[in-house]
Amino acid sequence: MLHYHRQGTGEPLLLIHGFLSTNRVYDKIRSDFVDTYDVISIDLPGHGKSTLKNENTVYDYAHSIVQLLDSLKITNATWVGHSMGGYITMAAIEKYTPYVRRAAFVYSSPVHDSEKDKAQRDEHIGLVKREGVAALAKKRIPTYFAFQGEPKDVREAFRHADQTTQEGAIAALHAMKERPNQVNMLNRVDLPLFFLEGTKDLSEAPFHATSSQITKSSTDTSHMGMLDNPNQFITELKNWLTLTH
């Protein structure tokens, strides 16, 4: 079963971190939601304190989360997914729709990997196999902060990455590489959806939303907005949660 942190009372609010991270990436914002929500922040398989089993696709990761929700007797929650956590949330909307009341994608895009992106994933898999997760973290984490993050936040991100196993990193890279394009699916789904974009995010591809259910907003941050500017992150997410309550 996935490792998780749970605090607060109210509607279940599920926080899902991204690649090379842990549930602790939400530490700066979690306390602002626990008075209103039952906040459950998880460690993805192969990350933090969660063991990788046989997860190999975004649907596998979504299934592992649904199994956790079943064990907690939670049948419906608001999902908040950062980056890869957003890709997993999209998979859950497609395959496990009843478990998702509404969903927020923070610094995450429904656009699938381009051929260039896929080749880079393969390069990263090779790097992890040859030199370990630390070598990939050294290459990738500075770009998550647009090369201008606060040193303490960057150090924190590296501490999270240190808790990703080699097998966990490889499985996650494969899952992200093979994920489908979810733009059309999200434009059709009848659920409130929120995309929080970073004006300095170098990682996520833009997309065209045609559904009235999709709300977009932005923070003046990098891919790691919950660390860069937690107050702005909290304000934008809370506004959407209130509007769609």
Side-chain angles (χ1 to χ4, degrees), residues 79-243:
W79 294 47
V80 179
H82 174 231
S83 194
M84 178 184 171
Y87 311 153
I88 294 165
T89 299
M90 294 169 204
I93 290 171
E94 180 186 347
K95 198 165 181 180
Y96 304 101
T97 314
Y99 286 87
V100 187
R101 180 188 170 200
R102 53 186 172 170
F105 310 95
V106 296
Y107 319 112
S108 188
S109 171
V111 178
H112 63 335
D113 274 7
S114 66
E115 290 307 311
K116 181 180 178 181
D117 294 331
K118 290 181 179 183
Q120 186 179 68
R121 302 280 191 205
D122 286 336
E123 289 175 14
H124 290 168
I125 288 171
L127 179 61
V128 171
K129 287 179 176 178
R130 291 190 311 271
E131 301 180 38
V133 176
L136 179 58
K138 185 177 179 180
K139 184 182 184 75
R140 292 298 300 165
I141 285 177
T143 70
Y144 293 164
F145 290 91
F147 302 99
Q148 56 185 15
E150 289 291 329
K152 66 180 186 304
D153 293 334
V154 178
R155 287 194 298 271
E156 181 70 15
F158 273 106
R159 281 194 289 273
H160 295 168
D162 285 344
Q163 299 175 61
T164 305
T165 65
Q166 183 169 330
E167 296 78 11
I170 291 169
L173 285 164
H174 181 268
M176 290 189 288
K177 173 189 168 185
E178 298 299 332
R179 76 187 190 277
N181 191 312
Q182 297 284 31
V183 175
N184 290 337
M185 185 275 291
L186 292 183
N187 277 320
R188 289 194 308 267
V189 72
D190 188 25
L191 290 172
L193 305 175
F194 180 53
F195 281 85
L196 186 59
E197 302 171 341
T199 59
K200 301 168 187 172
D201 189 350
L202 305 177
S203 300
E204 299 299 337
F207 76 101
H208 180 56
T210 59
S211 169
S212 61
Q213 292 274 39
I214 295 177
T215 302
K216 286 188 179 185
S217 191
S218 64
T219 52
D220 186 29
T221 68
S222 73
H223 190 63
M224 305 297 288
M226 70 284 285
L227 298 179
D228 281 349
N229 192 329
N231 289 335
Q232 199 176 7
F233 181 98
I234 290 163
T235 297
E236 295 298 333
L237 183 56
K238 274 191 170 181
N239 285 346
W240 175 75
L241 289 170
T242 301
L243 285 172

Side-chain angles (χ1 to χ4, degrees), residues 27-44:
D27 279 2
K28 286 186 177 183
I29 65 99
R30 188 188 287 113
S31 62
D32 282 78
F33 294 90
V34 296
D35 288 342
T36 313
Y37 297 95
D38 177 8
V39 182
I40 303 156
S41 42
I42 68 164
D43 285 344
L44 288 171

Side-chain angles (χ1 to χ4, degrees), residues 43-104:
D43 285 344
L44 288 171
H47 294 68
K49 296 179 181 177
S50 290
T51 303
L52 182 76
K53 293 182 180 175
N54 57 356
E55 293 88 0
N56 197 44
T57 70
V58 286
Y59 300 100
D60 294 336
Y61 288 90
H63 182 250
S64 294
I65 294 170
V66 166
Q67 286 183 314
L68 173 65
L69 294 179
D70 282 341
S71 75
L72 298 176
K73 295 183 169 48
I74 294 172
T75 57
N76 190 251
T78 296
W79 294 47
V80 179
H82 174 231
S83 194
M84 178 184 171
Y87 311 153
I88 294 165
T89 299
M90 294 169 204
I93 290 171
E94 180 186 347
K95 198 165 181 180
Y96 304 101
T97 314
Y99 286 87
V100 187
R101 180 188 170 200
R102 53 186 172 170

